[in-house]
Structure formats: C-alpha cells, structure tokens
C-alpha cells in the first residue's frame, strides 16, 4: 500500500497557469505590481513556492527530546513539527482528519499523542490514528490509513535546520542548498561545538506581501537612509571606531563587503571583510547597551587574553544569509518569514544561544548568552521597524494601479560590476540589486513549473 497521495496541480483560483504571462510579470530589470498584490498569485505561491521547494520549518534545538513538538506553518498549512517516539522528526498536518479542526492548540510541548478537542479522536505523534470515542458507531475500519494525519512527505535537516517540501522531484536538501552551506557552516562554526540553540523570539506582523521582506534581505542600498536614526544612535557614543552598520555611509561600494548569489534563490551579504581581523574586532562594533562595560571588565579579569575572543561570541556576526523563500540568518538571529495573506506577513526573529562544549565552562557560557540577549535586542527593535515601515508603504504604493513596475536594475549593464565566478556564483557590490534579479529568476522558474507534489500518511 502506498503511503503517498499525489496532489497533481491543486485547484486554485489561478487555474490555468497560462492565464499569467510570467515572463512579462518579472523581467530582467523590473517586476510587475501584480506579483505583490494579486490574491490568485499568492494562492499559487502557497503550493508552487511554499511546498513546491524546500522551505525552512524549524530548528532541531526546539525539539531536543523524544516526543517534543512545536507548531509551525508551511505556507498557510498548519503543522506540528514533532520528534516521534523513535526520534524521527516529522512534519504532521495540524488538522484533524475527522472534520478538519486544528488538532494541537499549543505552541510547543512534549506529548506522545494529540487528542482532538472537538470529538476526541486521538493521534500518535507518528501521525497514526490511535483511537476514536465509541468506535461501535462506525461501520468501516477506522484503521484505514486515510484517517491518519497527513504529513509533509520529505523532511530533511542541515546541521539543525529542518526543511520540508511536498515536491517529490526536489533535489536532496544538501544539493538544493548548494554553495550557501559554506557560509551557513561559517556562521555555525564560530560558536563552541559549531552549534547554536534557539531561544525566544521578537515577533512582528506587517501589512505587506512576504516577498518585500525577502527583496530587502540582501539590500545594502537602503541602510544609510532607512536606518539613519539607528546609525546615529549607535554612533552617538562611538569613540574612534564606527559602530554597527556605519560602513554603509559615505561610499559603501568601495568597502570590501559584497553580496553573493549562490543559486536556487539563495544569497548572502558578507560584511565580515570590513572588520578588523583581531580578537575583539566584532565586539568593538557593538553599540552601547546596559551593562556592557561591567561584563567586559569582568571577562578581562576572569579570562585575560582570551576575553575579547569570548566577547566576540556575543557580537552580531556581520553577515546576512538568505535561504529562499523564508529563512534569513542575520547577526545571531534566525529570522523566518511567514506569509499570512497577499498583504500580510509575520517576520519572526528567533534569538540564538551558544552551548557549553567544555571549552568555556558553564559560567562563561551563561554570561556570554546574557550579553548575547542584549546585542540581539538591538536590531529587531530599532532596525526592523524601519524595514517594516518600508514594506507597508510599498504595499500602499503598489495600489497605484496604473503605475505598474518596481525596478531592480541597480548594477545591471555596467561592465565588470557584477561578476560570475568559476563555481557559478555571482558577486556584486554591496548596494547592487543583483541578488533580487537572481532570486526572481528562481521564483519565476517555480511559478512556471507543474510540481510533482504529494502528502504522506502512515500506512
Ligand atoms: S474534528 Fe477532530 S475529532 Fe472531530
Ligand atoms: Fe533594513
């Protein structure tokens, strides 16, 4: 008996994809307003992008133990991400197979099974229906697999990051991620034991299309203007060293930072080359926040020469790594974009902590994590609000029906400015929109493809 149920082309208002001329809607230098405003395009994205390609779901450190679970979404589908009794990570549809109500109403917990609050059907965390109240009332065999919870058929992790896809033809996750894993590895490997643990989050909801956030994820052009008040605040108490993102002022494209596109919609902005290469170089960039002088003095007295390399672990890593369509690693955060409707999106900034691998000791790890919480409060509170204001104002601007295009051609057509490297990756100066032109090629590829989608149920 096959446990896979092929979906084919799910019915959407979009119907025949030929109704939309994707080549017209997304061109080399510009994108049409409809891709941000049309509910039918949004609905199609919820299968062709979210589910049609590998999508970030959660981090393994959020469900470290057998029977742990958290609730998340894949596009609009409510999911329970569970580590089942065998330790296998599953992405179960959080939807009772009886009449479709949300099965689990908790954000997280530990449970072998889930009992539906409506009529009490009970499901194991493998997705199998364990039992129903008063089964004598059913004439058919309730062990039929169709009553087991639907689940995402392919769930794979890369170094703790859990992704899922409904697309049976997607490449294995590691091949799909391709060269972006090099910089994900570097982001992880600077931490003891090469790992982080996810902690609580700063949660934002904004009234604009999800793609506006992804279009901004590698944008080095807006920083000096949109985040001017943040830059001024950060630098008010700066001595000789400029703080935070001050390197975006003056002439950012002459700085050693750059952007790189690595394929499949993934890219990163690498600001690390701007840093002084010394222990404490990252810590020196951190803007003033309460208690930092005390911690710094305390670290120097306790750790001597090692103090500044430890303080660097609390500093925000100056790289933005963006994995299409919904994941960004920013500073020390794991940021996730969750579409809600064509004009509403969640942007969730999960904080991360380092773990004790024996090289620092529990007291040191605790103190670094305490400092790290302070540094992680900075950007979401003082920078994300600037970005969200832009997204909402773009959505408003896109209501001007006759003025149809947004432009993304910065850097295009200038000889030797955007470079294709031997490995196929593309590099460009920090303020170029090359990243956006490239991720829209991937968006268009997915929107034009009839994906081979399926869900799975336990047999
Ligand atoms: S809807 Fe879940 S038991 Fe009826
Ligand atoms: Fe920004």
């Amino acid at each position: 008996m096959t446990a896979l149920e092929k979906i084919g082309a799910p019915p959407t208002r979009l119907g025949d994809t030929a109704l939309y001329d994707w080549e017209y809607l997304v061109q080399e230098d510009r994108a049409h307003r409809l891709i941000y405003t049309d509910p039918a395009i949004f609905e199609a994205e919820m299968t062709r992008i979210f589910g049609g390609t590998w999508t970030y779901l959660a981090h393994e450190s959020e469900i470290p133990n057998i029977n742990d679970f958290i609730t998340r979404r894949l596009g609009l589908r409510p999911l329970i991400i569970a580590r089942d009794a065998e330790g296998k990570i599953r992405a179960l549809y959080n939807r009772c197979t009886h009449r479709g109500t949300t099965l689990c109403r908790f954000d997280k917990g530990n449970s072998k099974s889930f009992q539906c609050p409506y009529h009490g059907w009970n499901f194991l965390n493998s997705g199998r229906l364990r039992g129903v109240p008063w089964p004598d009332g059913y004439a058919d065999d309730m062990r039929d697999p169709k009553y087991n919870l639907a689940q995402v058929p392919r769930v794979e992790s890369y170094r703790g990051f859990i992704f899922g896809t409904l697309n049976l033809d997607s490449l294995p996750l590691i091949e799909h991620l391709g060269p972006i894993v090099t910089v994900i590895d570097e982001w992880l490997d600077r931490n003891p034991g090469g790992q982080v643990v996810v902690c609580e989050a700063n949660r934002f909801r904004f009234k604009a299309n999800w793609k506006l956030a992804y279009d901004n994820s590698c944008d080095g052009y807006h920083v000096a203007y949109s985040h001017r008040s943040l830059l001024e605040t950060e630098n008010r108490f700066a001595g000789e060293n400029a703080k935070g993102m001050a390197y975006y002022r003056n002439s950012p494209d002459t700085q050693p930072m750059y952007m790189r596109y690595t394929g499949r919609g993934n890219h990163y902005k690498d600001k690390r080359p701007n840093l002084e290469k010394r222990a404490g170089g990252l810590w020196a960039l951190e803007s003033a926040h309460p208690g930092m002088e005390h911690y710094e003095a305390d670290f120097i007295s306790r750790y001597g020469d090692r103090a500044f390399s430890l303080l660097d672990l609390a500093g925000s890593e100056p790289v933005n790594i963006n994995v299409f369509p919904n994941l960004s690693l920013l500073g020390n955060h794991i940021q996730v974009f969750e579409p809600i409707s064509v004009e509403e999106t969640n942007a969730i900034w999960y904080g991360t902590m380092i773990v004790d691998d024996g090289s620092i000791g529990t007291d040191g790890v605790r103190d670094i994590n305490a400092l790290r919480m302070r540094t992680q409060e900075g950007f979401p509170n003082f920078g994300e609000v600037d970005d969200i204001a832009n997204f909402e104002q773009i959505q408003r601007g896109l209501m001007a029906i006759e003025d149809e295009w947004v432009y993304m051609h910065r850097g295009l057509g200038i000889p030797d400015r955007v470079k294709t490297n031997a490995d196929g990756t593309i590099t460009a100066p920090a303020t170029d929109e090359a990243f956006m032109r490239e991720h829209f090629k991937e968006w268009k590829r997915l929107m034009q493809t009839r994906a081979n989608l399926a869900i799975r149920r336990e047999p």
Side-chain angles (χ1 to χ4, degrees):
M1 186 187 314
T2 174
L4 285 174
E5 297 172 19
K6 295 289 193 79
I7 295 168
T12 66
R13 276 179 290 185
L14 195 69
D16 182 359
T17 184
L19 280 176
Y20 286 78
D21 181 348
W22 304 106
E23 296 302 335
Y24 177 74
L25 291 174
V26 178
Q27 302 175 16
E28 178 70 6
D29 61 331
R30 60 185 190 170
H32 196 275
R33 59 177 288 281
L34 270 184
I35 70 164
Y36 301 101
T37 59
D38 183 350
I41 292 181
F42 175 82
E43 197 168 285
E45 286 178 330
M46 293 305 104
T47 51
R48 293 178 198 180
I49 309 284
F50 288 83
T53 190
W54 288 104
T55 306
Y56 177 70
L57 299 176
H59 192 266
E60 286 184 13
S61 65
E62 296 173 278
I63 45 169
N65 304 307
I66 297 289
N67 299 326
D68 280 350
F69 71 87
I70 45 171
T71 50
R72 287 290 154 79
R73 302 216 316 233
L74 171 53
L76 300 183
R77 304 164 192 87
L79 297 180
I80 303 169
I81 314 297
R83 196 182 285 269
D84 76 9
E86 265 85 59
K88 182 177 157 84
I89 295 175
R90 295 177 184 268
L92 307 167
Y93 278 47
N94 191 7
R95 175 204 182 279
C96 180
T97 50
H98 177 214
R99 279 207 247 151
T101 189
T102 307
L103 174 62
C104 174
R105 314 277 171 92
F106 296 94
D107 294 334
K108 59 185 168 187
N110 180 282
S111 184
K112 277 201 262 296
S113 64
F114 302 97
Q115 177 155 292
C116 181
Y118 197 176
H119 311 93
W121 285 23
N122 195 293
F123 300 87
L124 291 169
N125 61 8
S126 65
R128 204 169 264 147
L129 178 62
R130 179 159 85 170
V132 304
W134 307 294
D136 295 352
Y138 285 104
D140 65 335
D141 183 356
M142 294 305 286
R143 287 169 304 186
D144 188 317
K146 73 182 178 192
Y147 301 122
N148 296 335
L149 295 177
Q151 33 193 308
V152 177
R154 298 181 65 193
V155 177
E156 292 178 20
S157 295
Y158 181 73
R159 294 192 64 178
F161 296 93
I162 308 167
F163 292 78
T165 180
L166 310 187
N167 189 346
L168 302 180
D169 294 339
S170 288
L171 293 169
L173 177 64
I174 181 75
E175 286 174 42
H176 169 84
L177 291 173
I180 199 76
V181 300
T182 308
V183 66
I184 294 175
D185 287 346
E186 290 164 1
W187 189 83
L188 285 167
D189 289 339
R190 85 180 189 97
N191 303 300
Q195 45 174 326
V196 292
V197 165
V198 171
C199 50
E200 249 314 322
N202 296 61
R203 293 163 200 276
F204 299 86
R205 176 172 291 197
F206 57 89
K207 292 244 176 232
N209 187 267
W210 67 273
K211 291 190 292 302
L212 296 170
Y214 202 78
D215 293 351
N216 184 66
S217 63
C218 213
D219 185 306
Y221 198 23
H222 75 293
V223 179
Y225 293 89
S226 293
H227 300 304
R228 183 173 160 186
S229 64
L230 172 60
L231 265 54
E232 285 180 357
T233 305
E234 283 178 333
N235 283 281
R236 191 166 299 152
F237 304 108
E240 290 178 9
N241 291 319
K243 298 287 189 183
M245 301 180 295
Y247 39 70
Y248 278 111
R249 292 196 304 214
N250 306 323
S251 50
D253 288 345
T254 61
Q255 305 271 339
M257 62 182 169
Y258 62 96
M259 64 121 297
R260 175 170 284 151
Y261 180 76
T262 65
R264 301 265 161 189
N266 308 326
H267 37 63
Y268 64 94
K269 172 72 41 74
D270 194 352
K271 299 164 281 187
R272 296 171 299 181
N274 293 1
L275 279 189
E276 295 174 66
K277 307 253 174 319
R278 62 172 173 91
L282 187 53
W283 178 244
L285 272 187
E286 281 301 329
S287 52
H289 51 258
M292 71 190 300
E293 297 90 345
H294 163 78
Y295 271 104
E296 187 177 301
D298 189 46
F299 266 72
I300 292 168
S301 73
R302 276 155 66 194
Y303 296 101
D305 290 348
R306 218 177 142 208
F308 282 100
S309 59
L310 295 178
L311 289 164
D312 281 343
L313 291 173
S316 295
E317 181 73 335
V319 61
N320 305 11
I321 306 168
N322 310 302
V323 182
F324 187 79
N326 67 333
L327 171 67
S328 286
L329 308 181
L330 292 160
N332 297 330
H333 284 94
I334 297 173
Q335 190 192 7
V336 182
F337 309 122
E338 287 184 356
I340 297 169
S341 74
V342 69
E343 54 184 13
E344 197 164 17
T345 307
N346 285 330
I348 306 171
W349 295 68
Y350 293 95
T352 62
M353 300 187 294
I354 60 165
V355 294
D356 184 15
D357 70 342
S359 64
I360 302 174
T362 45
D363 286 357
V365 166
R366 182 198 59 211
D367 291 344
I368 290 164
N369 281 332
L371 263 183
R372 203 167 151 118
M373 287 306 105
R374 299 290 83 76
T375 60
Q376 288 181 110
E377 284 162 355
F379 192 83
N381 288 305
F382 300 108
E384 178 70 357
V385 285
D386 302 327
D387 291 324
I388 282 175
N390 286 333
F391 307 154
E392 294 193 343
Q393 296 300 335
I394 295 171
Q395 197 74 26
R396 187 177 289 193
L398 295 175
M399 290 299 124
I401 292 171
E402 303 77 11
D403 205 0
E404 298 166 287
W405 299 99
V406 297
Y407 288 94
M408 49 178 171
H409 65 302
R410 184 173 169 81
L412 187 65
I414 300 176
D416 300 325
R417 187 169 166 112
V418 180
K419 297 190 176 67
T420 302
N421 306 302
D423 63 357
T425 63
I426 294 167
T427 31
T431 68
D432 274 23
E433 288 163 328
F435 74 94
M436 187 169 161
R437 296 192 289 277
E438 296 303 324
H439 75 230
F440 268 120
K441 289 174 190 163
E442 175 69 358
W443 183 87
K444 199 157 59 167
R445 182 184 76 80
L446 291 164
M447 293 302 281
Q448 287 170 324
T449 306
R450 287 270 175 207
N452 183 16
L453 306 182
I455 52 173
R456 205 173 75 76
R457 296 182 202 275
E458 282 295 278

